[in-house]
Amino acid sequence: MTVSASVVDLTATEKVFIGEPAAKAIASEADRLGARRIFLMVSRALNTGTDEIDKIRSALGARVAGTYDGMPPHAPRSAVLAAAAMAREAGTDMIVTVGGGSITDAGKIVSLCLKHNLREPDDMEPYHVYVDDQGNVIKPVFEGPEIPVVICPTTLSGGEFNPLSGATDEKVHHKQGFEHRRMAAASIILDPALTLHTPEWLWLSTGVRSVDHALETLGSLQSNDFCDGMADCALRLLAEGLPRVKRDPGDLEARLKCQVGVWQSMIPITAGVPMGLSHAIGHILGGTCDVPHGYCSCVMAPAVLAFNAPVNGDRQRRISACFGQPDRPASEVVDEFIRDLGMPRSLSDVNVSRDQLEHIAEYTMLDFWARTNPRTVNAAADVLPVLEMAY
């Protein structure tokens, strides 16, 4: 009898704080890492509209060397480089991010910019993942960052657990991935109280993004029992936690369940399980069409499940079971779940015009996860039916 073999890749993350107040945990990590010049990359809303960042500054005292709070959605190269310039000038020895997915991604890429002295948008070109003309995924080889990054997420997209980060090349309006094992956060702080300020639409939509991590893991033909187990538990936590937070935004236990579910949903990705069309299309919707990160999965996940069902329907039954409806098609169950959260469910709902679909399909084929979709996708023409389903 033979068994299927697989390898689980591990990241360089050293600690995850679960339920610890952010300011206390950050100060603890600064002590552990011996940091004396700490650069804060934070949400402008938190910095100007709440006292959360002031609490962190107070806990760190004179060790705060600078603050950047101007990161736009999808982390454009110019903004990442502006933050890197400030961090370089500050002589930082530790980066702390507090905010959503774009701030999280940017903080990790800033550490890469500091390592390789990247100062202009074109300087970033040799470092991003790309797909060559033969459809091969090319991951450039380079030395990883040295300055540690500590991440306090306020949304549920999960990038804090990933050594892969996205930044948008403004020249071509294309969001691209930058990946190195050392780009993973040194530590991650899951403080549910910090997320009370997150707008409901952002919390719930990014939660669906992490639901999608689990969906594409359980749908993948390249997963394994360990990763399937992580995705299964993630789905159950998110399926419980997200509706609870919608009913009662002050339910900190439910918020923490969501945060732990996000972590579990990301383990298969960092372990090496490839995602599929929902993520590939989502990258293009974000970087090219300015669709908010979480909304990408809200509008694409059910359509991709339906598209893939002919080749992975047996695996999709486990998805339905996680939502307590084992006898219904996963695409229908997930569609209903997203609708009940009040999230958009079509490309037209997020202001994507029909005349953009062909361009989206073409760019999707440049994404590294288009080639690992369970149902084979060979050309832009194969992507168009999925976009039509989602329209």
Side-chain angles (χ1 to χ4, degrees), residues 229-302:
M230 289 292 103
D232 184 300
C233 191
L235 265 188
R236 294 175 189 274
L237 286 171
L238 290 161
E240 176 188 350
L242 290 170
R244 279 179 54 177
V245 173
K246 184 173 176 61
R247 289 192 298 269
D248 177 10
D251 187 340
L252 291 182
E253 181 188 57
R255 287 180 176 271
L256 192 57
K257 282 183 182 293
C258 291
Q259 289 182 305
V260 173
V262 169
W263 181 12
Q264 291 181 323
S265 81
M266 285 300 302
I267 288 173
I269 297 178
T270 61
V273 176
M275 298 291 97
L277 264 187
S278 185
H279 279 72
I281 295 170
H283 291 158
I284 311 310
L285 294 177
T288 304
C289 304
D290 293 322
V291 177
H293 194 59
Y295 281 172
C296 297
S297 287
C298 292
V299 300
M300 291 310 310

Side-chain angles (χ1 to χ4, degrees), residues 193-205:
L194 192 65
T195 73
L196 289 170
H197 306 284
T198 303
E200 181 188 74
W201 75 268
L202 186 57
W203 180 262
L204 296 177
S205 66

Side-chain angles (χ1 to χ4, degrees), residues 5-323:
S6 57
V7 175
V8 173
D9 293 325
L10 302 177
T11 73
T13 297
E14 299 166 3
K15 284 190 176 186
V16 179
F17 294 79
I18 301 176
E20 187 90 3
K24 178 181 177 183
I26 291 168
S28 171
E29 283 300 271
D31 291 341
R32 180 178 74 88
L33 296 168
R36 290 292 177 265
R37 303 285 299 170
I38 300 168
F39 186 68
L40 304 179
M41 293 181 62
V42 302
S43 155
R44 179 164 289 171
L46 288 179
N47 193 31
T48 61
T50 77
D51 64 352
E52 298 294 353
I53 307 304
D54 286 337
K55 290 178 187 176
I56 293 168
R57 289 193 185 98
S58 178
L60 293 174
R63 292 178 288 186
V64 177
T67 304
Y68 178 91
D69 72 353
M71 187 56 56
H74 306 297
R77 286 187 183 187
S78 60
V80 172
L81 291 167
M86 288 182 63
R88 187 182 294 112
E89 180 68 21
T92 186
D93 56 7
M94 184 171 105
I95 297 168
V96 173
T97 74
V98 185
S102 295
I103 294 169
T104 295
D105 276 359
K108 292 183 288 177
I109 299 175
V110 163
S111 69
L112 179 68
C113 292
L114 295 178
K115 170 66 178 177
H116 294 282
N117 197 28
L118 309 182
R119 296 172 181 264
E120 301 294 334
D122 286 347
D123 293 345
M124 299 174 68
E125 192 62 24
Y127 296 90
H128 70 80
V129 181
Y130 66 96
V131 178
D132 67 15
D133 293 339
Q134 289 72 47
N136 302 307
V137 177
I138 307 299
K139 296 183 179 181
V141 177
F142 50 81
E143 290 187 22
E146 297 172 351
I147 293 174
V149 181
V150 174
I151 298 178
C152 306
T154 59
T155 62
L156 297 171
S157 52
E160 60 273 9
F161 292 102
N162 202 341
L164 171 71
S165 289
T168 300
D169 182 351
E170 293 126 300
K171 283 185 179 179
V172 293
H173 301 287
H174 187 197
K175 193 171 187 178
Q176 299 156 329
F178 296 78
E179 182 177 11
H180 191 284
R181 182 177 178 274
R182 293 298 308 175
M183 283 176 62
S187 56
I188 298 155
I189 298 161
L190 304 180
D191 178 2
L194 192 65
T195 73
L196 289 170
H197 306 284
T198 303
E200 181 188 74
W201 75 268
L202 186 57
W203 180 262
L204 296 177
S205 66
T206 55
V208 174
R209 186 67 170 172
S210 283
V211 165
D212 204 9
H213 302 331
L215 297 178
E216 295 221 290
T217 295
L218 290 174
S220 174
L221 305 180
Q222 300 180 48
S223 188
N224 55 57
D225 286 341
F226 171 75
C227 292
D228 284 352
M230 289 292 103
D232 184 300
C233 191
L235 265 188
R236 294 175 189 274
L237 286 171
L238 290 161
E240 176 188 350
L242 290 170
R244 279 179 54 177
V245 173
K246 184 173 176 61
R247 289 192 298 269
D248 177 10
D251 187 340
L252 291 182
E253 181 188 57
R255 287 180 176 271
L256 192 57
K257 282 183 182 293
C258 291
Q259 289 182 305
V260 173
V262 169
W263 181 12
Q264 291 181 323
S265 81
M266 285 300 302
I267 288 173
I269 297 178
T270 61
V273 176
M275 298 291 97
L277 264 187
S278 185
H279 279 72
I281 295 170
H283 291 158
I284 311 310
L285 294 177
T288 304
C289 304
D290 293 322
V291 177
H293 194 59
Y295 281 172
C296 297
S297 287
C298 292
V299 300
M300 291 310 310
V304 172
L305 285 168
F307 176 75
N308 285 331
V311 300
N312 68 356
D314 56 333
R315 288 184 58 78
Q316 289 193 25
R317 283 194 287 272
R318 187 166 182 176
I319 293 171
S320 300
C322 289
F323 287 93

